[in-house]
């Protein structure tokens, strides 16, 4: 019984790491998802739509990295950072709201935790974007 419990804890931790990684890169992920849905709506197969989605997500992330390097104005860089971090904040908020939704906590406490999670994920997204050279 103990190995099963340890495995469940390890898998839960791995899922949290995966969810955090996807939340910090929410903008490229959502661009890829939108490209996938558009390709499927235009009649492409799942494999072709997947390739289109991966290409769109990669291009959007590459565009943000390129713009971060090219832009000279601090205001333009701030707008770029906010554009990248805002979807990450929403994803972090939604992620924790889905996890603690059924918990027996009061609504203000749930909201506080969700806002803190959204802020944490947004800051992590900004730090990840600024760490890439």
């Amino acid at each position: 019984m103990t190995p099963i419990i340890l495995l469940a804890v390890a898998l839960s931790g791995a899922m949290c790491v995966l969810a955090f990684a996807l939340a910090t890169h929410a903008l490229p992920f959502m661009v890829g998802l939108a490209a996938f849905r558009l390709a499927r709506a235009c009649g492409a197969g799942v494999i072709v739509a997947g390739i289109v989605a991966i290409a769109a997500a990669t291009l959007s992330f590459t565009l943000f990295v390129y713009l971060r390097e090219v832009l000279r104005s601090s205001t333009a860089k701030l707008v770029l950072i906010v554009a990248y971090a805002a979807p990450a904040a929403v994803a972090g908020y939604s992620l924790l709201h889905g996890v603690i939704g059924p918990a027996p906590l009061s609504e203000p406490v749930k909201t506080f935790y969700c806002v803190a999670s959204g802020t944490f994920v947004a800051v992590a997204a900004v730090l990840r974007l600024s760490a890439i050279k």
Side-chain angles (χ1 to χ4, degrees):
M1 186 67 153
T2 303
I4 294 173
I5 293 172
L6 292 176
L7 181 64
V9 169
L11 289 176
S12 297
M15 290 301 294
C16 289
V17 168
L18 177 65
F20 179 74
L22 286 177
T24 55
H25 293 295
L27 185 63
F29 179 75
M30 292 307 294
V31 168
L33 184 63
F36 179 83
R37 293 182 68 192
L38 179 65
R40 287 291 293 157
C42 290
V46 175
I47 294 173
V48 173
I51 292 169
V52 168
I54 291 170
T58 303
L59 285 174
S60 70
F61 184 71
T62 304
L63 176 67
F64 272 96
V65 171
Y66 174 75
L67 287 176
R68 191 200 67 205
E69 294 296 324
V70 170
L71 292 177
R72 301 269 184 229
S73 171
S74 61
T75 305
K77 284 187 178 186
L78 179 65
V79 169
L80 181 71
I81 288 171
V82 168
Y84 191 83
V90 172
Y93 180 94
S94 299
L95 180 68
L96 193 65
H97 190 272
V99 170
I100 67 169
L105 298 171
S106 66
E107 283 302 315
V109 172
K110 285 182 186 179
T111 303
F112 173 75
Y113 285 143
C114 292
V115 167
S117 172
T119 304
F120 179 73
V121 171
V123 168
V126 169
L127 292 176
R128 279 190 178 195
L129 184 65
S130 64
I132 297 172
K133 293 292 175 180

